[in-house]
Amino acid sequence: MIKSIYGPITNPKTGESKDIIVNAIASKNLKDVLIGGGIVLVGVVYLTLSTFKNGANAFEEAEYETLKELNLFTN
């Protein structure tokens, strides 16, 4: 359950003031949980794969430059 307390509303005639309190259930049904969880899972998988790919490319580039600087390539 999510509980949020917002600012007060005041009755100008009586001076009585009361906070706005909202109580809401986190998710209405299983469909919302599955869709939200699926989106998060797809995002994590995408970021993991793209990071791995970029890291592998950066390693290959650094390895090539190191071999070139050490004159280890033969014609």
Side-chain angles (χ1 to χ4, degrees), residues 12-24:
K13 292 180 183 175
T14 63
E16 184 180 357
S17 181
K18 198 168 187 180
D19 285 335
I20 301 169
I21 300 173
V22 177
N23 293 317

Side-chain angles (χ1 to χ4, degrees), residues 1 3-4 13-15 17 21-22 24 26 29-30 32 40 44-46 50-51 56 63-65 68 74:
M1 177 176 282
K3 181 177 181 179
S4 299
K13 292 180 183 175
T14 63
S17 181
I21 300 173
V22 177
N29 56 31
L30 184 61
D32 293 339
V40 169
V44 168
V45 168
Y46 171 76
S50 66
T51 300
E63 182 183 31
Y64 177 81
E65 288 299 319
K68 185 178 171 184
T74 59

Side-chain angles (χ1 to χ4, degrees), residues 25-36:
I25 297 173
S27 179
K28 296 234 178 215
N29 56 31
L30 184 61
K31 179 181 162 188
D32 293 339
V33 172
L34 292 176
I35 290 172

Side-chain angles (χ1 to χ4, degrees), residues 4-5 7-8 10 17 24 26 42-43 45 47-49 57 63 65:
S4 299
I5 301 174
T10 305
S17 181
V42 167
V45 168
L47 289 174
T48 302
L49 292 176
N57 288 341
E63 182 183 31
E65 288 299 319

